[in-house]
Amino acid sequence: MGETQVASAQPFVLAFDSTHAAMAAQAAFKAAGAAIALIPTPREISAGCGMSLKFKAEGAAEAQAFVADTITGDAAKCATLYEATGYTKLS
C-alpha cells in the first residue's frame, strides 16, 4: 500500500486520543510512502484529538494490517480505525 491507489480502494479514518499520537502516526505513514490526508476528526467519531488521518486500502483487513505494521508505541495504543463511510469502528 503506497502512493499508488487503485479505484476499488476504500477510505478509512484513523482517530487518536492525542495530538502527539496523530502527529507520530502521520510521520510513520509518510515514511512508509502512504498517501494520507490529515483531516479534522469527524463529529460522528468520539476521540480525544481533533485530528485524524484519512487513507485508502483495499479493505478492512488491509487497513488494519497496514496500521499495525506502520505505527508503533503510544501512537498505536491511542489509535482507533474506522471505515470512512458510516464511521464503523474496526479497532
Side-chain angles (χ1 to χ4, degrees), residues 35-69:
I36 60 166
L38 185 64
I39 64 168
T41 299
R43 291 183 187 148
E44 296 85 352
I45 296 175
S46 228
C49 176
M51 294 186 300
S52 292
L53 297 178
K54 188 173 186 178
F55 66 99
K56 291 187 176 183
E58 288 302 309
E62 182 181 290
Q64 289 171 317
F66 184 71
V67 169
D69 292 345

Side-chain angles (χ1 to χ4, degrees), residues 1 10 19 30 49 54 61 64 74 82:
M1 189 182 126
Q10 301 169 300
T19 302
K30 283 185 177 181
C49 176
K54 188 173 186 178
Q64 289 171 317
D74 288 339
Y82 297 85

